[in-house]
Amino acid sequence: RCSKVARQTENRIPMQDNTTTAVTPSLMVRIAAMLYESLLVTAVIFVAALPFLYLVGNAQTGWPRHLFQLYLLGILFAYFSAFWLRSGQTLAMKTWRIRLVSPDGAPLTFKQAVLRFFLALLGLLLAGAGFWWAWFDRDRQFLHDRIVGTRLVRMPRKTGA
């Protein structure tokens, strides 16, 4: 218990307004958020696929398949980057009180969002190597966050009124 508290204390970072600090979320919390996010993303993909398949028809082979894959990749990028740029939180991240920030606690830039999305995708395609990295990282960061200079922080519970 003491080592867990010590680790959380050393992982605190200043937020943009310098009035509060936030703790890096545990790996279990991030895994739970990713599982929830996968359900939401599945729904987004299903809804986004409908108009494409209605207009194009069969997208199982040839150029329609590749166009469909690019279209879905664009939808995923739009989903994640819009939330990251707007509030630093996707719907699942809001539920689990996780926020994506720059090292100084500021919101992400568009360049950071692009790099994070594609590096996370690459890490996922490489058998999740970018995510497994967190088990060995001194700050428990994912590899794409380490490279881009972003980090996930756990937001405090809202109190009262």
Side-chain angles (χ1 to χ4, degrees):
R1 172 131 171 91
C2 290
S3 65
K4 182 179 179 181
V5 171
R7 187 173 39 231
Q8 286 179 343
T9 303
E10 69 187 30
N11 286 337
R12 290 181 184 273
I13 63 165
M15 295 305 289
Q16 189 174 15
D17 60 5
N18 290 326
T19 58
T20 61
T21 60
V23 177
T24 301
S26 70
L27 289 174
M28 294 310 292
V29 168
R30 287 184 278 170
I31 290 169
M34 285 189 289
L35 288 173
Y36 182 38
E37 194 79 68
S38 69
L39 296 174
L40 297 172
V41 165
T42 299
V44 168
I45 292 295
F46 272 110
V47 171
L50 290 174
F52 183 93
L53 294 175
Y54 179 76
L55 293 172
V56 175
N58 183 359
Q60 294 178 350
T61 59
W63 69 267
R65 178 182 178 187
H66 299 300
L67 186 62
F68 185 52
Q69 290 171 337
L70 282 173
Y71 169 74
L72 292 180
L73 187 65
I75 293 295
L76 286 175
F77 174 72
Y79 170 82
F80 283 107
S81 64
F83 279 112
W84 292 341
L85 293 171
R86 183 170 167 250
S87 64
Q89 296 177 294
T90 62
L91 297 174
M93 292 167 78
K94 284 181 184 182
T95 301
W96 287 93
R97 297 185 344 265
I98 298 171
R99 176 167 281 152
L100 180 64
V101 296
S102 294
D104 61 354
L108 265 65
T109 64
F110 183 73
K111 180 181 175 183
Q112 286 175 312
V114 170
L115 284 172
R116 186 176 197 272
F117 177 81
F118 286 105
L119 288 173
L121 181 63
L122 179 63
L124 187 63
L125 294 175
L126 295 172
F131 297 91
W132 289 106
W133 175 271
W135 289 102
F136 306 104
D137 187 85
R138 72 177 184 276
D139 297 325
R140 299 286 189 225
Q141 289 191 68
F142 295 130
L143 182 58
H144 48 271
D145 285 323
R146 175 70 66 193
I147 292 170
V148 176
T150 55
R151 71 183 298 130
L152 296 170
V153 296
R154 188 80 190 255
M155 302 308 294
R157 290 187 191 275
K158 291 184 180 177
T159 56

